[in-house]
Amino acid sequence: MSADGPSRRRIVLGVEYDGSGYCGWQTQAQGRTVQETLEGAVSTVADHPVRIHCAGRTDAGVHALEQVVHFDTVADRTERAWVLGTNVNLPRDCAVRWARQVPEPFHARFSACARHYRYRILTRTTRSALERDRALWVHQPLDLERMQAAGRALLGEHDFSSFRAAGCQAKSPVRRMHYLDLRRDGEVIDLATGANGFLQHMVRNIVGVLIAIGRGEASVDWTRELLAVRDRSVGGVTAPPQGLFFVRADYPVEYALPQAAGVTRPEAAALAGGGDASG
């Protein structure tokens, strides 16, 4: 404790949540949000109000395997106490996986050097009762090879204006996509992607374009054409949120975060850079 009172600590949490019952991450005037739910639970453990910052804000219906958040506190708790105490005060659709105290320069959003998302597409003739909030149902056949070929045009650094939401507030539309991998596992097509940052709705807009290409409604070159035109108004349909998962964010090794949701795609071996995230 300092002469002026208790010292401030910066705590990082790894959080998973089912986004089905939330109106997105960010606190708003009406509707249940992940941010206010977490802030209420953590404030109870800290015994004072806290403000929580995240690695990437998620929209209503979007899930997280390992969202990274941080907050400042004067409370003296063990990392185990932050995890167990917060979870006791959280609803069943949100849970803390781990906690770590870090130096104050750390910021969940601005210290991240890469972010990773998944999107799941269920391809079968009938809807699913179990996957309704975990995957987008597409009843028409999708040509995976066409989708894979179209996705390769998005790799590298590009102006992604055609794949950003109309209301996106990012200062620059330029992002570097490190990998975009599509694989079929039975009835599910799993898209995994990682970049130095994502624009608002960027992943969902990419999925919408790739589905149109997979259906044969657009040419394989459409992704390349959209990058060139830099115009969202010709960019196709935004895929719905329920198939989207925030997987994780990457941070410099000196923070030694005990992250659990590893990136399994081999293309993600070496990542660098920074940026905002909103899939």
Side-chain angles (χ1 to χ4, degrees):
M1 181 180 296
S2 69
D4 297 325
S7 59
R8 187 173 70 171
R9 299 170 174 83
R10 181 154 292 183
I11 306 298
V12 183
L13 305 177
V15 183
E16 68 177 20
Y17 52 84
D18 177 343
S20 306
Y22 293 96
C23 297
W25 163 264
Q26 193 166 3
T27 298
Q28 49 191 271
Q30 294 183 335
R32 177 174 178 253
T33 67
V34 182
Q35 183 181 23
E36 67 179 350
T37 299
L38 269 173
E39 286 178 348
V42 173
S43 296
T44 299
V45 180
D47 200 27
H48 66 78
V50 300
R51 178 72 170 175
I52 289 181
H53 306 269
C54 72
R57 294 186 295 269
T58 50
D59 293 329
V62 177
H63 316 293
L65 301 181
E66 192 177 52
Q67 176 72 266
V68 176
V69 308
H70 85 264
F71 61 92
D72 293 331
T73 180
V74 296
D76 185 10
R77 309 280 187 268
T78 66
E79 292 173 354
R80 176 178 170 82
W82 284 119
V83 174
L84 298 182
T86 303
N87 280 340
V88 166
N89 291 283
L90 284 172
R92 295 178 64 185
D93 56 6
C94 186
V96 174
R97 301 181 62 158
W98 51 263
R100 178 62 51 90
Q101 183 171 338
V102 295
E104 191 163 316
F106 177 92
H107 193 286
R109 177 183 175 190
F110 298 117
S111 298
C113 52
R115 295 168 176 86
H116 308 267
Y117 283 88
R118 290 178 60 196
Y119 196 99
R120 300 178 69 248
I121 306 167
L122 176 66
T123 58
R124 72 183 203 188
T125 56
T126 57
R127 65 180 177 86
S128 171
L130 300 179
E131 294 276 18
R132 66 189 185 280
D133 294 326
R134 298 289 185 277
L136 168 63
W137 172 45
V138 177
H139 61 85
Q140 304 99 327
L142 295 178
D143 188 322
L144 182 61
E145 291 186 1
R146 285 173 56 86
M147 296 170 71
Q148 290 171 328
R152 285 193 284 271
L154 301 175
L155 299 178
E157 186 170 279
H158 303 284
D159 181 324
F160 283 95
S161 291
S162 294
F163 296 93
R164 70 190 297 185
C168 180
Q169 299 179 355
K171 294 180 180 179
S172 170
V174 176
R175 296 291 185 271
R176 176 173 291 277
M177 184 171 289
H178 300 295
Y179 67 96
L180 193 154
D181 187 28
L182 292 113
R183 300 182 184 182
R184 191 186 300 275
D185 182 9
E187 297 175 323
V188 174
I189 291 178
D190 188 299
L191 178 148
T193 184
N196 63 352
F198 289 88
L199 303 165
Q200 186 179 12
H201 293 175
M202 180 171 157
V203 177
R204 291 166 59 190
N205 289 333
I206 288 172
V207 171
V209 167
L210 293 180
I211 287 175
I213 293 171
R215 285 172 172 162
E217 298 169 356
S219 74
V220 171
D221 291 329
W222 194 28
T223 47
R224 195 181 309 276
E225 294 166 0
L226 288 173
L227 287 174
V229 74
R230 301 178 184 179
D231 183 355
R232 173 61 200 144
S233 67
V234 297
V237 176
T238 301
Q242 68 265 23
L244 184 60
F245 294 74
F246 182 97
V247 176
R248 64 172 278 158
D250 294 339
Y251 295 91
V253 294
E254 57 262 31
Y255 293 117
L257 300 183
Q259 291 173 285
V263 178
T264 60
R265 300 311 206 247
E267 298 87 340
L271 305 177
D276 298 334
S278 183

